[in-house]
């Protein structure tokens, strides 16, 4: 029994092995058939992509997968027919130009065909999952004249819509110079915009930001200008200048508010320093200062001892600014940004500020009354009649306020030379006190009387002839700090 069972089991195993062998053979045949099928499909696709673009192929963002070169060309050309370029301007404004308005189109020159030749059709399966991108470098054509006309017709390029940029500049604000930031404006740089549009058309871009494309005219000077920073510093230093003049009538202040007006100010409100202009303004300022301060030779109110209020003109006594010297020192003050208190540079000064510059110690030589009054501390301490110059053009005593030039004893006075070369006269005096060139106070021993109307026809050669004793007293009292006022009460009349 057992032996028989073993034979039976062996037969069953052989039968199963035969079945399995037969099944395996079928699987192998099926697999082979499948591989042949796949190979056929692969080969077919390879042959297709010999003249078709691989899946996922994009040319200038246009999906050209599975297209022939001709189909891709036609598709791209059709795409260009609807092409538009939107230009965005400052202020979130935009304008659009349509390609059809300037004959924008694609003109094939074999570039798309060259893309097709570059691809590997044997890798077609790879491009079911990946993309292949190409960019056309040429082929786009358009009418340049029509494009230029179209751009020029944009509202943002019209003259009335464009605002010129404004350069950064220096302005005076709140007592100091500051840099005012530049303003961009909306003026279009047509050359830059034209180039940017040309590049956008070439690449098929649908938008163009004019600002990013540097399509606006830029300010020539910005707030970061080193020159502006330097000028601001220089101008602020000038604005800190302060010269306080100590004048006879009080103080006068020259400060930055005045100096500021001496700077260049253009029509746009921009300040700058022009040294030639600054020098001219300084000269003009000093001249005006002198006109306000100078009293030398000018009219001076005077109250006579006899009680008249008259005006005295002329003489060598008074304030006089040395304009050349003052200009020099004021330039230095401004250049060095100084703050100083000082007197102007005078070539001559008055001795006093009260009583119209005469003080309380002075001599009144009243030429109308032919009487002299010596005032000391406001009181007459000496008075005397005299004889002044004969009332002719060459001998009269000129009015005016004078300084004593010097004083000298025992002097011989000589007149102008006559035809023979000899002095027209020679007179010895004990006391000589000149104040106006060859005119002075002196004793006149040759005269027996003084005062009255003697001077009109028998007067001196211009000097003030005094009695001897009076001349001696005056000589002892007078000094260079005693102004001498020669005054006619109601003017004078010459007799030849």
């Amino acid at each position: 029994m057992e032996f028989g069972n073993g034979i039976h089991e062996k037969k069953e195993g052989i039968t199963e092995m035969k079945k399995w062998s037969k099944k395996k053979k079928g699987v192998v045949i099926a697999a082979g058939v499948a591989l042949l099928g796949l190979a056929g499909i692969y080969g077919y696709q390879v042959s297709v992509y010999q003249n078709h673009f691989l899946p996922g192929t994009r040319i200038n963002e246009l999906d050209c997968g599975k297209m022939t070169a001709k189909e891709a060309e036609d598709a791209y050309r059709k795409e260009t027919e609807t092409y538009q370029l939107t230009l965005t301007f400052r202020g979130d404004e935009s304008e659009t130009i349509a390609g059809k308005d300037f004959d924008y189109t694609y003109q094939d020159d074999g570039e798309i065909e060259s893309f097709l030749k570059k691809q590997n059709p044997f890798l077609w399966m790879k491009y079911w999952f990946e993309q292949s991108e190409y960019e056309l470098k040429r082929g786009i054509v358009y009418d340049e004249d029509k494009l230029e006309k179209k751009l020029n017709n944009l509202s943002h390029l019209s003259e009335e819509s464009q605002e010129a940029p404004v350069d950064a500049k220096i302005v005076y604000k709140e007592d100091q110079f500051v840099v005012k930031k530049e303003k961009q404006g909306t003026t279009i740089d047509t050359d830059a915009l034209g180039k940017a549009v040309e590049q956008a058309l070439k690449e098929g871009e649908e938008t163009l930001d004019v600002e990013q494309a540097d399509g606006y005219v830029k300010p020539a000077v910005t707030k970061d200008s080193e020159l502006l920073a330097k000028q601001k510093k220089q101008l602020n230093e000038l604005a800190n200048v302060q010269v306080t003049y100590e004048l006879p009538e009080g103080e006068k202040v020259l400060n930055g508010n005045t100096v500021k007006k001496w700077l260049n100010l253009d029509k746009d409100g921009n300040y700058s320093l022009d040294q030639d202009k600054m020098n001219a303004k300084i000269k003009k300022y000093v001249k005006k200062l002198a006109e306000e301060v100078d009293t030398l030779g000018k009219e001076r109110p005077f109250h006579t001892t006899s009680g008249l209020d008259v005006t005295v003109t002329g003489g060598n006594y008074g304030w006089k600014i040395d304009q050349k010297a003052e200009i020099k020192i004021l330039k230095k003050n401004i250049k060095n940004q100084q703050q100083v208190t000082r007197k102007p540079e005078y070539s001559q000064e008055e001795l006093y500020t009260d009583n119209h510059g005469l003080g309380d110690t002075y001599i009144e030589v009243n030429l109308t009354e032919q009487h002299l009054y010596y005032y000391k501390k406001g009181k007459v301490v000496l008075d005397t009649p005299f004889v002044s110059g004969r009332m002719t053009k060459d001998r009269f005593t000129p009015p005016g306020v004078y300084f004593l030039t010097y004083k000298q004893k025992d002097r011989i006075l000589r007149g102008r030379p006559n035809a023979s070369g000899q002095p027209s006269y020679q007179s010895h005096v004990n006391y000589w006190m000149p104040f106006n060139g060859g005119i002075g106070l002196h004793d006149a021993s040759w005269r027996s009387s003084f005062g009255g109307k003697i001077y009109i026809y028998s007067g001196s050669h211009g000097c003030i002839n005094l009695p001897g004793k009076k001349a001696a007293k005056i000589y002892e009292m007078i000094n260079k700090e005693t102004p001498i006022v020669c005054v006619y009460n109601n003017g004078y009349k010459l007799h030849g």
Side-chain angles (χ1 to χ4, degrees):
M1 290 292 294
E2 293 180 359
F3 181 77
N5 287 341
I7 293 173
H8 178 72
E9 290 177 356
K10 185 176 182 181
K11 287 180 178 181
E12 288 180 353
I14 292 171
T15 301
E16 289 297 325
M17 288 180 65
K18 288 180 179 181
K19 288 180 180 181
W20 167 250
S21 178
K22 186 175 181 180
K23 185 176 181 179
K24 183 177 180 182
K25 185 177 181 181
V27 171
V28 171
I29 292 172
V33 171
L35 287 172
L36 287 173
L38 289 173
I41 293 172
Y42 175 79
Y44 173 75
Q45 294 293 345
V46 169
S47 65
V48 167
Y49 291 119
Q50 293 287 345
N51 52 20
H52 288 74
F53 282 106
L54 293 168
T57 299
R58 301 181 71 83
I59 299 176
N60 283 32
E61 301 300 322
L62 177 66
D63 186 358
C64 297
K66 301 181 182 180
M67 292 184 183
T68 64
K70 179 65 169 58
E71 290 170 340
E73 292 166 10
D74 292 341
Y76 191 70
R77 187 175 296 108
K78 186 175 181 180
E79 183 82 3
T80 62
E81 292 176 358
T82 60
Y83 175 77
Q84 293 186 125
L85 177 62
T86 298
L87 291 85
T88 57
F89 298 89
R90 285 174 178 159
D92 294 327
E93 297 179 355
S94 64
E95 291 190 72
T96 299
I97 55 175
K100 64 181 181 179
D101 293 334
F102 49 91
D103 303 336
Y104 181 87
T105 188
Y106 175 70
Q107 192 174 78
D108 177 52
D109 62 354
E111 190 174 12
I112 289 180
E113 180 69 32
S114 70
F115 295 157
L116 182 63
K117 291 179 179 179
K118 289 179 181 179
Q119 71 179 14
N120 187 346
F122 293 98
L123 300 177
W124 61 268
M125 293 183 66
K126 175 182 178 182
Y127 290 95
W128 285 99
F129 309 101
E130 297 182 11
Q131 287 187 345
S132 181
E133 296 184 359
Y134 298 95
E135 182 179 347
L136 288 169
K137 302 293 185 182
R138 55 187 185 273
I140 292 296
V141 294
Y142 52 86
D143 188 313
E144 293 182 358
D145 291 336
K146 288 184 179 181
L147 173 62
E148 182 178 359
K149 184 177 180 181
K150 186 68 177 176
L151 289 174
N152 289 336
N153 286 334
L154 292 175
S155 64
H156 284 79
L157 270 71
S158 65
E159 184 175 346
E160 57 271 16
S161 68
Q162 297 188 68
E163 183 180 353
V166 179
D167 290 346
K169 60 187 178 183
I170 297 175
V171 298
Y172 194 72
K173 185 178 181 181
E174 297 179 357
D175 297 329
Q176 65 175 332
F177 289 97
V178 297
V179 175
K180 185 177 181 180
K181 184 181 178 181
E182 69 279 4
K183 184 179 179 182
Q184 292 299 329
T186 57
T187 299
I188 299 296
D189 183 335
T190 53
D191 289 340
L193 179 61
K195 291 178 181 179
V197 168
E198 180 182 340
Q199 187 65 28
L201 296 178
K202 180 180 178 182
E203 297 177 358
E205 299 288 347
E206 295 181 352
T207 60
L208 173 64
D209 188 312
V210 177
E211 184 162 18
Q212 290 184 2
D214 289 332
Y216 288 101
V217 174
K218 298 179 179 178
V221 182
T222 70
K223 63 180 179 61
D224 298 320
S225 165
E226 291 184 3
L227 178 60
L228 278 188
K230 182 179 179 181
Q231 289 179 340
K232 183 186 78 168
K233 181 176 181 294
Q234 184 181 34
L235 295 178
N236 276 322
E237 288 173 346
L238 287 175
N240 287 329
V241 169
Q242 180 165 305
V243 178
T244 302
Y245 286 107
E246 296 175 321
L247 304 177
E249 301 299 324
E251 291 186 344
K252 182 181 180 68
V253 178
L254 167 64
N255 58 24
N257 286 325
T258 299
V259 175
K260 170 177 67 69
K261 298 174 184 177
W262 298 350
L263 302 170
N264 264 352
L265 180 62
D266 63 26
K267 60 183 178 62
D268 297 320
N270 187 32
Y271 284 92
S272 61
L273 174 63
D274 182 326
Q275 194 60 57
D276 289 339
K277 180 180 178 181
M278 174 67 73
N279 291 342
K281 291 292 186 180
I282 291 173
K283 184 178 180 180
K284 184 177 180 180
Y285 179 86
V286 171
K287 181 181 179 182
K288 185 176 180 181
L289 182 66
E291 290 172 354
E292 295 173 359
V293 173
D294 288 359
T295 58
L296 183 64
K298 293 183 179 180
E299 292 184 349
R300 185 188 303 269
F302 182 73
H303 186 74
T304 68
T305 304
S306 58
L308 298 176
D309 289 315
V310 298
T311 298
V312 183
T313 304
N316 59 19
Y317 178 88
W319 298 105
K320 185 171 179 60
I321 291 178
D322 184 336
Q323 295 188 38
K324 186 175 181 180
E326 177 56 32
I327 288 170
K328 183 177 180 180
I329 194 169
L330 182 54
K331 283 183 180 179
K332 183 179 179 181
N333 293 151
I334 293 174
K335 180 181 179 181
N336 296 331
Q337 299 93 45
Q338 294 176 328
Q339 296 186 356
V340 295
T341 298
R342 63 177 178 83
K343 295 194 301 183
E345 293 293 303
Y346 289 110
S347 59
Q348 187 166 297
E349 300 181 41
E350 291 185 0
L351 299 174
Y352 312 102
T353 57
D354 59 326
N355 191 24
H356 306 292
L358 300 175
D360 59 8
T361 299
Y362 61 92
I363 295 175
E364 176 187 342
V365 180
N366 196 302
L367 298 165
T368 301
E369 299 172 6
Q370 293 288 287
H371 207 94
L372 179 150
Y373 302 92
Y374 198 123
Y375 281 84
K376 191 169 185 180
K377 295 184 178 180
K379 295 181 179 181
V380 177
V381 295
L382 180 150
D383 72 288
T384 180
F386 61 80
V387 176
S388 62
R390 181 179 176 181
M391 294 306 290
T392 59
K393 185 177 180 180
D394 61 336
R395 291 176 60 170
F396 85 107
T397 304
V401 183
Y402 301 90
F403 283 102
L404 175 70
T405 309
Y406 63 90
K407 60 182 181 178
Q408 184 181 10
K409 291 182 179 180
D410 193 22
R411 174 73 179 262
I412 295 179
L413 304 179
R414 295 180 174 86
R416 295 187 182 92
N418 55 28
S420 63
Q422 297 299 313
S424 57
Y425 69 86
Q426 291 190 110
S427 301
H428 175 272
V429 298
N430 294 312
Y431 306 102
W432 172 233
M433 296 161 277
F435 57 81
N436 180 12
I439 296 176
L441 301 163
H442 64 79
D443 56 297
S445 58
W446 56 90
R447 289 191 181 276
S448 59
S449 62
F450 299 87
K453 303 295 181 179
I454 299 172
Y455 75 106
I456 297 177
Y457 297 105
S458 299
S460 70
H461 287 78
C463 288
I464 306 300
N465 293 178
L466 297 166
K469 291 182 179 181
K470 295 292 184 178
K473 289 183 178 181
I474 292 171
Y475 186 91
E476 294 301 322
M477 291 189 294
I478 196 170
N479 57 46
K480 290 186 177 182
E481 294 182 355
T482 307
I484 301 168
V485 183
C486 295
V487 57
Y488 290 93
N489 289 345
N490 298 300
Y492 55 89
K493 184 179 179 179
L494 301 179
H495 302 278

